[in-house]
């Protein structure tokens, strides 16, 4: 059997009872650590689960994925995923590839940022399409996600922005070499995302401006969770501490309960 097990968002104890029981009986347990991370680290997970975990970075998943899946023909294999297994298309692909090989799969769900974002008080059924904001480089500044934000705003919907994560990424210089070298891990902050949005707003003035209301979230589900509400311009200067961060661009018109709940995260009158 191939198991995909959601770990939730906080720490080692967020795994479900069912998920923990499966982890403890499996022959191999992989920890996928490139679509998201837990702040507690691999060692804390191993201590709580009582077993060794095999780190599965991008290279492992992309280059050895078939091997991992095929091994589930003869063994019980688990892939642990931060949040919920269906939070990334990588894991959907895993299940499809397993089914092609007639390998049975079981998914154990858990909380993800896609539903836990409601902790800021914005109502889930008022969210539109989720977007991802990537890191820019000197020669690559994609902004197609901005059109989706504008589309949501026109429909009076909120936008959850998932911020870029770079873990175990090879350096550009090493791509042509036999030996790979890797950049240090990078996790986009709310401030970095807002600065890129400010640059877009200057070039494409539209329904989002530097004084537009935004919501910054950090370490959702963890005991150090932090939420801050401000203008886009102010958020670009705000330090919400360690990763992971997420950003929400609310609809222009909020429900009274949404405004009341958001008020606790800002000193300004909404």
């Amino acid at each position: 059997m191939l198991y995909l097990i959601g770990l939730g968002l906080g720490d080692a104890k967020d795994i479900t009872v069912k998920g923990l029981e499966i982890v403890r009986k499996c022959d191999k347990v992989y920890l996928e650590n490139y679509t998201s991370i837990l702040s507690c680290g691999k060692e804390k997970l191993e201590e709580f689960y009582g077993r060794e975990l095999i780190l599965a970075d991008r290279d492992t998943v992309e280059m050895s994925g078939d091997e991992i899946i095929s091994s589930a023909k003869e063994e019980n294999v688990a892939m642990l995923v931060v949040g919920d297994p269906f939070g990334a298309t990588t894991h959907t692909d895993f299940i499809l590839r397993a089914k092609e090989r007639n390998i049975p799969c079981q998914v154990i769900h858990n909380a993800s940022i896609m539903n836990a974002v409601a902790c800021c008080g914005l109502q889930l059924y008022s969210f539109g399409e989720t977007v991802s904001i990537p890191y820019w480089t000197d020669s690559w500044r994609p902004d197609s996600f901005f059109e989706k934000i504008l589309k949501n705003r026109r429909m009076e919907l909120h936008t959850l922005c998932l911020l870029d994560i770079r873990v175990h990424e090879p350096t550009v210089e090493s791509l042509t070499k036999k030996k790979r070298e890797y950049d240090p891990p990078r996790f986009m902050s709310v401030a970095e995302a807002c600065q890129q949005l400010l640059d877009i707003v200057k070039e494409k003035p539209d329904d989002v401006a530097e004084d537009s209301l935004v919501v910054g979230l950090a370490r959702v589900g963890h005991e150090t969770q932090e939420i801050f509400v401000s203008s886009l311009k102010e958020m670009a200067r705000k330090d919400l501490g360690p990763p992971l961060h997420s950003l929400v661009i609310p609809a222009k018109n909020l429900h009274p309960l949404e405004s009341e709940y958001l008020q606790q995260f800002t000193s300004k009158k909404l």
Side-chain angles (χ1 to χ4, degrees), residues 13-120:
K13 294 182 180 180
D14 277 0
I15 191 171
T16 63
V17 174
K18 182 186 291 185
L20 184 57
E21 289 175 345
I22 293 171
V23 165
R24 289 177 172 169
K25 78 174 185 181
C26 277
D27 300 292
K28 293 177 183 176
V29 183
Y30 293 87
L31 173 61
E32 189 268 273
N33 76 324
Y34 81 89
T35 58
S36 190
I37 61 162
L38 279 181
S39 57
C40 62
K42 173 175 175 281
E43 293 75 18
K44 290 289 185 181
L45 296 179
E46 291 179 325
E47 180 182 345
F48 184 71
Y49 300 161
R51 64 164 307 144
E52 181 184 359
L53 304 180
I54 305 167
L55 275 182
D57 56 25
R58 181 186 295 274
D59 288 346
T60 302
V61 173
E62 292 181 353
M63 299 175 65
S64 303
D66 286 337
E67 182 180 332
I68 294 171
I69 294 168
S70 295
S71 67
K73 283 185 176 181
E74 307 295 335
E75 301 175 306
N76 288 315
V77 178
M79 178 68 74
L80 307 184
V81 180
V82 176
D84 186 85
F86 286 124
T89 54
T90 296
H91 313 123
T92 305
D93 178 61
F94 247 61
I95 292 175
L96 291 174
R97 287 154 66 186
K99 289 184 178 296
E100 288 176 355
R101 295 166 173 77
N102 294 317
I103 296 172
C105 301
Q106 185 175 351
V107 176
I108 311 301
H109 294 285
N110 211 319
S112 78
I113 190 60
M114 302 294 285
N115 57 3
V117 66
C119 67
C120 70

Side-chain angles (χ1 to χ4, degrees), residues 157-175:
L157 298 174
H158 314 310
T159 305
L160 169 61
C161 304
L162 304 178
L163 309 187
D164 204 356
I165 296 174
R166 298 292 180 91
V167 179
H168 205 63
E169 294 282 340
T171 63
V172 174
E173 295 79 12
S174 72
L175 291 176

